[in-house]
Amino acid sequence: MSLEVNSTEQVIKIAAITLKGRLDAFEAPALRKICDDYISNEFSHFVFDLTDVAMLDSAGLAVLVSVLKRARLKNGDVRLVWPREEAASRILKLTKFDQVFVSIEKSEIVPRGF
Amino acid sequence: MFPEINEKHRESFKSLANGWMRVGASCVQLLKGGEVLIGCPNSNASSEPSLLVTSLGSGLSLQVFGVTDIRWVPTAESMLDVFSNLLNADTDLDNLTAALVETQDRLVALYELTQATRRTLDMPKLLDLLIQQSRHLMDVDGGFVVLKEKGKQTIIHQVSENPLHPAHAEAAATLYLRDPNRHIFKDSETLPANLKNVMMVTLPVRDEISAAVGLFNKTGNFNTPDIKLAKAIAEHIGAQLENALLHKEVVERARLETEMDIARQVQTAILPQSIPQIRGLDIFATSTPALEVGGDFFDVIDRSEEALVFALGDVTGKGMPAALLMSMTHTIIKSASRNMPFNHPHQVLDRLNHDMAADFANVGMFTTVMLGMVDCADCKLHFSNAGQSPIYHVPVNGEPMLLEAQDIPVGILDTVEYTTQSLNLSQGDLFIAASDGFPESRNPAGEMYGYERMKAILSTSRELSAKQIAEALLADVNAFCDTHPQDDDRTIVVLKFEKATEKRIMFNESITIYANYEEIRQPCERLRLNLRQAEISEEIAGLCELSLQELLTNLVDHAYEGNPNGQITVRMASNRGQIFIQTEDAGTPANIKMEDVHMPNPEDLAEGGYGMAIIRSLMDDIRYETAQGKNIWTLVKNL
């Protein structure tokens, strides 16, 4: 056999998280806990599906930013499926995080997300 | 009184005696009262018969021994005359010299006094000079001045090593003033034991002041020249005192005028230059200050296109203190009225009283205030009245009604719970708030303008515009007062309710919650619902909700730092023009300046610091204040 095969296995762990309802200061700690668990389990890529998030405030945003920061340290990233509601997307525009988070279509989530 | 017999007299006598010797006399003597004044020769041993002549006028006698012939009597009489004239002339000369010296002394002293008093306008110094010069000139123990003015405390000024008891000085002055023709009082009569003698003269200052100078315990006794001298000094000092008083009055008047000027400037500066107009209301306000500025003020603050707040008040007192308190009062009313939840004017008065009660109490003053909010969308007038009068409501189909103040003025008690009253307004209704300068205006006969005349004018002028009604009232008061000057400021606010604006769904709601992330959702959702019902766009509703959510999260995190017992009251209100969101918490006061709040750079991936920046970018007005231990945030969104 003359074929030389050198293979490296690279496992990219992607967490796709779908959120519904109000992502505010009250819900943020629960989401943070979930994300912390993923990060401890070597997840470096995150997709947050915000399609059905009715309202997003700065506490919710802070969780997303925190996840992005830690994902980048592991050469990962965070992508967002844009919320349908203005009440949720408003803050992303106001804070200009719409230019930091890469947005994807819902259909792109898995497996073509990355 | 004869002068001392001197050598010159002896020489003269000797040459005259020699003449007698030549006609056979053995000895010649000049006697007074049996005593030998001069003898020639000095001693006389002779017992020869003698000739004796006596001058009744001077009491002098001439005795010539060894001459008895009666024909010599006229010669002896001539000699006695010549000699007594000589002695008399010498006495006169001595007296004149002494008087001349004394007069010279007194003139010099008076001159010095004049020079000294010219340099001072200071009352105590003048009185000191007066007494000291008198002491110096008249050799007395001490002196005092008593100044009595009706309605004022009697002033007693003394200069003495052993000063009198003030009661004694006053008693002496009273005794004298009762009969100013009597100047000298001697021991025993009515004087206390330590007073040997007293001389009193009037100190002429001015009619309304009775003043007297007393000098006491002169060595020897006071005499008529002393009275004259004391009067001269007193007259001079009196004129100078008059100058000093005038000077003091001029200075005082200048100070008052400056004060009044400043007060007038303050008052003019705080009165609004233009009156905001809103739909559905005809409003006019004006203030005519009196010459001596009173403490009237008014203000009109628009809250939306259909609502405004108006205030009219009167700070007691005049001049600088009134002006300062008025400007503070005005500032608080202005800011509290802006942040006032809709339809709660009493909250402005609560706040004003809380902030200012101590200041007013310190100067013994207070202020009356009428604070009203008219809402044309709601056809309502809400008002709170702290002692302001007169206030009239003139219903379109009724007689003017005087509305009594329901609460006490601001600044009297530390804690007052002010109340809000509400009136339903119909088209054509009038509401008039005025200062007491109107009913209390007087005519030359001293009669007051009164409430009835005011009521009558309001009744007859009701069809006119707000401005014309105010002018009609001012003209009527002026005509009534005629030549009598205006004693007090006249300030008036006239509101004429024209018509209800298009009715719309309004809300005005208040919710109190515990400070935690779960409960803050309630007011946020409530706000959203209210805005939706008020048919306000989803976009505006969403950004108001987000702002409130951010504000409340901030309060939970920073004001209460997670303390679960903290409470937050959220008020929300809306009218056609604006949305008001107000929170009140009792947590740690915020230490934040909105103008320093900026959105973090997203590339920095900061995990906080967005909340206030978001509010700042969404709201039209953000205000923060602390009052009565509460932190109050007010967010305003213009529609």
Side-chain angles (χ1 to χ4, degrees), chain B residues 582-604:
Chain B
Q582 192 173 66
T583 65
E584 192 179 289
D585 68 86
T588 312
N591 182 18
I592 187 170
K593 274 202 190 116
M594 286 314 286
E595 59 268 30
D596 296 341
V597 170
H598 297 290
M599 192 68 82
N601 182 350
E603 297 297 342
D604 295 341

Side-chain angles (χ1 to χ4, degrees), chain A residues 22 24-27 32 55-58 61-62 65-66 68-69 72 87 90-91 94-97 100, chain B residues 517-518 521 524-525 528 539 542-543 545-546 549-550 553 599 602-603 605-607 610-611 614 617-618:
Chain A
R22 209 178 157 91
D24 60 8
F26 182 57
E27 297 294 353
R32 186 180 289 270
M55 195 268 190
L56 177 62
D57 73 354
S58 64
L61 176 70
V65 173
S66 160
L68 176 64
K69 212 152 109 183
R72 280 187 178 174
R90 173 175 291 112
I91 191 169
L94 277 175
T95 55
K96 298 205 165 65
F97 272 103
V100 174
Chain B
Y517 297 140
E518 189 173 11
R521 286 176 157 187
C524 291
E525 279 162 5
R528 186 68 178 262
E539 185 185 348
L543 61 86
E545 185 192 358
L546 178 59
Q549 169 78 27
E550 295 296 344
T553 306
M599 192 68 82
E603 297 297 342
L605 302 184
E607 291 184 41
Y610 301 102
I614 289 168
S617 65
L618 295 177

Side-chain angles (χ1 to χ4, degrees), chain B residues 12 16 75-89:
Chain B
S12 312
L16 287 169
T75 312
E77 281 174 350
S78 305
M79 180 181 166
L80 185 61
D81 272 356
V82 167
F83 215 81
S84 56
N85 282 344
L86 175 71
L87 288 179
N88 274 336

Side-chain angles (χ1 to χ4, degrees), chain B residues 331-377:
Chain B
T331 305
I332 292 174
I333 289 180
K334 212 172 176 78
S335 85
S337 296
R338 286 225 176 88
N339 297 331
M340 174 187 93
F342 255 53
N343 311 340
H344 289 71
H346 69 273
Q347 284 192 0
V348 174
L349 298 188
D350 283 345
R351 160 87 191 278
L352 181 65
N353 193 62
H354 177 271
D355 288 2
M356 296 283 297
D359 294 316
F360 275 110
N362 283 342
V363 289
M365 292 162 68
F366 60 82
T367 185
T368 55
V369 189
M370 155 83 203
L371 192 95
M373 174 171 169
V374 61
D375 187 344
C376 295

